[in-house]
Amino acid sequence: MSETAAGLCAHCLVPAGRTAYRGRVAGEELPFCCFGCYLAHRVHGERGEEAEATLFLIRVGAGAFLAMNIMALSLLLYFHAFDAEPPSLRRGIEAVLWGLATPAVAILGFPILRDAWSAVRQGRITTEAMIGLSGTAAYVYSVVSLLAGGHQVYFDTATMLFLLYTAGRYLDAAARARASRDLSSLLEAEKASARVILDDGDASEVIRPAAAVRRGERVRIGPGERFPVDGEVVEGRSAVDESLVTGESRLVGKRAGDTVLAGTVNGDGQLVVQTAAAGASTHWAAIGRAVREALARKSQLQRLTDRIAAAFLPFVLLLALGSGLYWSRRGSAWAALSAALATLVVACPCALGPAAYLASYLGIGLALRRGIVVRSTRALDALARVRCVAFDKTGSLTRGRPALVELVAENAEPARLLGAASRLAARDDHPLAGALLRAARERGAVASPLPEVEARRGRGLVGQDGAATLALGSAELFRELGWELPPILVERAERLEGEGHSVAFIGWSGTAQGVAGFTDEAR
């Protein structure tokens, strides 16, 4: 890649050169002169969860570098590596530790202390208060000890407390950023525009933000476009993909009088929709608000740790104060301060914050190894309280390719029954219709499709064969038509359903002539 092709660094504007690092920011791939500029640009260029996760990553990276060096030097002090050396060398090492710990505490500790103070101002004590108090106490004690000529410094304790907690916060922010990316199409659709048809006699159109469309206005939706408003179809005919809203993968036919929802995607036809709700009032906007609230809400484990901290912190402070008072009467002031600090640091549940995040991520990882994808820790929290789950989604838990396993005929030959079913099924794309067609081909019972078939959502298919009416679907469809359901077929259908099969009745001439049972292989 030439320098011209690489262009300038998107952050600092110096030539990116031949070794430019290309990174994606806000959905756009940009050149950067180095990885540091990429991270900095992400903090400024991204918004919401993505920027927060990047900022936490920078803090963890810088803090970990400093903390590792602090820990390595502190180990030398703990193992008395400098006892035989001149005192000035040990003092120099302690001064180096102070120099390394100060930026580490500023980078890692300041955000924790800021959040803790914000919570305290609202009358709440959170985990941040315990971590911030213990880490700051260890740092301040070490500085005072160093300046007073003592040799008890605990800079490693302060930095590691802050680093562990910040690492946990990064894991949580990264999860929320990933969930936000997965739902980007959902959230970005709120910014959609609409082609509003003006009532000025010449049917001219104007493009407006969806939030500015008023109730009762007409909006034109072209093929493949996303519906920006809730409303009712007043003109045109099409099939609509509602999977992102309802979870149903099949296209749903829409004609005049049918309701459409913002966020769904139009098929090949062109529709004119009269708006019933727009902007913040749409079903789509309500989903977007719910998603943002879910991303911002703390998980159950995090709320539990905050409740523990609120009850535990006053007790720890009293215990540390008691230890300091006790040793102040039996030793020096330094001994009292050391005892109070030891009580405060040891009693501080430094693993409580990261444990809440790490426990959730271990659960998510275990679920992933078993083929279950969990979008967020909040979903995992909710799953822990679930005692019963009912599924009704062909193609979600199953392969989506059911097979005909039983065909029961009452007053008709099985071949004729299967032929009638195939005439209806040829006009539909439901998985059960596909299973009937495959079975009809295998048994040589395929008949010509009916010229027109009406799909009744969630119930089945009805078509005309000259003067005769054919029906394929649920018992509800047959009762809706007023057709007879022979008891023997109803009993057989109940038995098939009890065995976990899907069933469909097949009939004509005002009565059900047979019932088909289907099974689908589980994923």
Side-chain angles (χ1 to χ4, degrees):
M1 181 186 296
S2 66
E3 181 173 316
T4 303
L8 301 178
C9 174
H11 182 68
C12 64
L13 301 181
V14 303
R18 297 179 179 275
T19 58
Y21 177 83
R22 304 195 70 84
R24 186 169 293 275
V25 179
E28 183 181 1
E29 189 174 272
L30 301 171
F32 297 93
C33 62
C34 63
F35 189 71
C37 280
Y38 165 65
L39 289 178
H41 196 76
R42 281 195 60 179
V43 174
H44 294 283
E46 298 278 13
R47 289 181 174 84
E49 289 77 17
E50 291 282 357
E52 184 181 8
T54 304
L55 190 56
F56 273 119
L57 177 60
I58 294 172
R59 287 174 183 162
V60 169
F65 172 77
L66 295 169
M68 285 188 294
N69 285 280
I70 293 169
M71 183 60 70
L73 292 174
S74 297
L75 286 174
L76 295 176
L77 295 180
Y78 293 151
F79 287 107
H80 308 286
F82 304 109
D83 287 358
E85 302 296 332
S88 59
L89 179 59
R90 181 184 177 95
R91 303 297 295 176
I93 296 297
E94 291 172 349
V96 171
L97 287 173
W98 184 14
L100 293 172
T102 299
V105 169
I107 293 169
L108 300 171
F110 176 74
I112 296 173
L113 293 170
R114 181 192 57 204
D115 293 344
W117 176 243
S118 176
V120 168
R121 291 178 62 185
Q122 298 173 15
R124 297 182 296 110
I125 298 177
T126 60
T127 311
E128 286 90 348
M130 298 195 69
I131 302 295
L133 184 61
S134 299
T136 303
Y139 175 79
V140 171
Y141 176 90
S142 300
V143 172
V144 173
S145 175
L146 181 61
L147 295 177
H151 293 295
Q152 290 181 315
V153 291
Y154 303 105
F155 292 115
D156 56 315
T157 301
T159 53
M160 289 308 296
L161 280 173
F162 291 143
L163 178 62
L164 285 173
Y165 190 76
T166 305
R169 291 289 302 275
Y170 165 69
L171 291 176
D172 180 63
R176 286 188 280 113
R178 184 165 57 250
S180 181
R181 285 195 299 271
D182 292 341
L183 298 169
S184 58
S185 58
L186 175 68
L187 300 176
E188 286 297 322
E190 294 177 308
K191 306 173 184 177
S193 299
R195 286 185 291 163
V196 180
I197 301 174
L198 300 178
D199 296 325
D200 55 5
D202 59 357
S204 58
E205 300 175 358
V206 62
I207 297 178
R208 294 184 196 156
V213 179
R214 296 185 297 272
R215 181 186 179 93
E217 290 188 311
R218 292 182 301 153
V219 174
R220 189 181 304 278
I221 312 297
E225 294 181 355
R226 192 180 296 275
F227 287 87
V229 294
D230 294 347
E232 180 181 307
V233 177
V234 295
E235 183 183 319
R237 188 168 181 174
S238 184
V240 175
D241 179 3
E242 298 182 337
S243 59
L244 200 58
V245 175
T246 66
E248 176 58 61
S249 59
R250 292 181 62 214
L251 296 178
V252 180
K254 298 290 182 181
R255 62 179 71 180
D258 288 339
T259 300
V260 293
L261 296 174
T264 57
V265 180
N266 189 21
D268 296 331
Q270 185 167 227
L271 298 175
V272 175
V273 176
Q274 185 171 11
T275 61
S281 303
T282 63
H283 181 73
W284 186 264
I287 293 175
R289 285 194 299 271
V291 168
R292 286 193 168 88
E293 289 172 4
L295 290 175
R297 193 181 303 125
K298 282 190 173 184
S299 70
Q300 182 185 10
L301 275 173
Q302 291 170 264
R303 293 193 297 271
L304 176 61
T305 58
D306 285 344
R307 287 198 297 270
I308 293 173
F312 196 50
L313 183 57
F315 172 74
V316 171
L317 288 175
L318 287 174
L319 192 61
L321 180 61
S323 298
L325 290 175
Y326 177 83
W327 286 104
S328 67
R329 297 178 180 179
R330 287 164 174 76
S332 64
W334 280 111
L337 282 174
S338 181
L341 175 65
T343 303
L344 188 62
V345 172
V346 172
C348 171
C350 57
L352 192 61
Y357 306 112
L358 292 175
S360 297
Y361 278 90
L362 287 173
I364 291 173
L366 181 61
L368 188 61
R369 287 195 294 274
R370 297 189 177 188
I372 304 169
V373 179
V374 181
R375 280 190 179 272
S376 70
T377 58
R378 295 160 191 83
L380 201 63
D381 293 339
L383 191 61
R385 299 188 296 274
V386 171
R387 293 295 174 267
C388 179
V389 183
F391 294 100
D392 181 22
K393 294 300 296 177
T394 303
S396 295
L397 299 179
T398 61
R399 297 291 180 186
R401 188 179 171 85
L404 180 67
V405 293
E406 189 167 341
L407 184 66
V408 181
E410 171 65 7
N411 298 314
E413 293 293 327
R416 183 186 177 192
L417 194 68
L418 196 56
S422 70
R423 301 190 70 187
L424 289 164
R427 297 295 187 185
D428 193 66
D429 59 356
H430 194 280
L432 297 186
L436 281 168
L437 283 174
R438 288 193 296 274
R441 294 191 192 99
E442 291 170 1
R443 303 181 190 186
V446 177
S448 59
L450 293 177
E452 185 171 351
V453 173
E454 179 187 358
R456 302 197 178 183
R457 189 186 307 175
R459 300 187 298 282
L461 305 170
V462 179
Q464 287 294 130
D465 182 17
T469 302
L470 278 64
L472 168 66
S474 64
E476 181 184 354
L477 173 65
F478 279 73
R479 295 190 187 100
E480 183 180 290
L481 295 171
W483 288 15
E484 179 187 357
L485 284 169
I488 188 171
L489 293 182
V490 173
E491 181 183 348
R492 187 62 64 88
E494 290 175 349
R495 181 181 64 80
L496 287 168
E497 288 178 334
E499 294 174 355
H501 300 307
S502 300
V503 298
F505 291 94
I506 307 165
W508 56 83
S509 302
T511 184
Q513 305 291 337
V515 63
F518 305 87
T519 190
D520 196 358
E521 181 184 354
R523 287 183 183 273

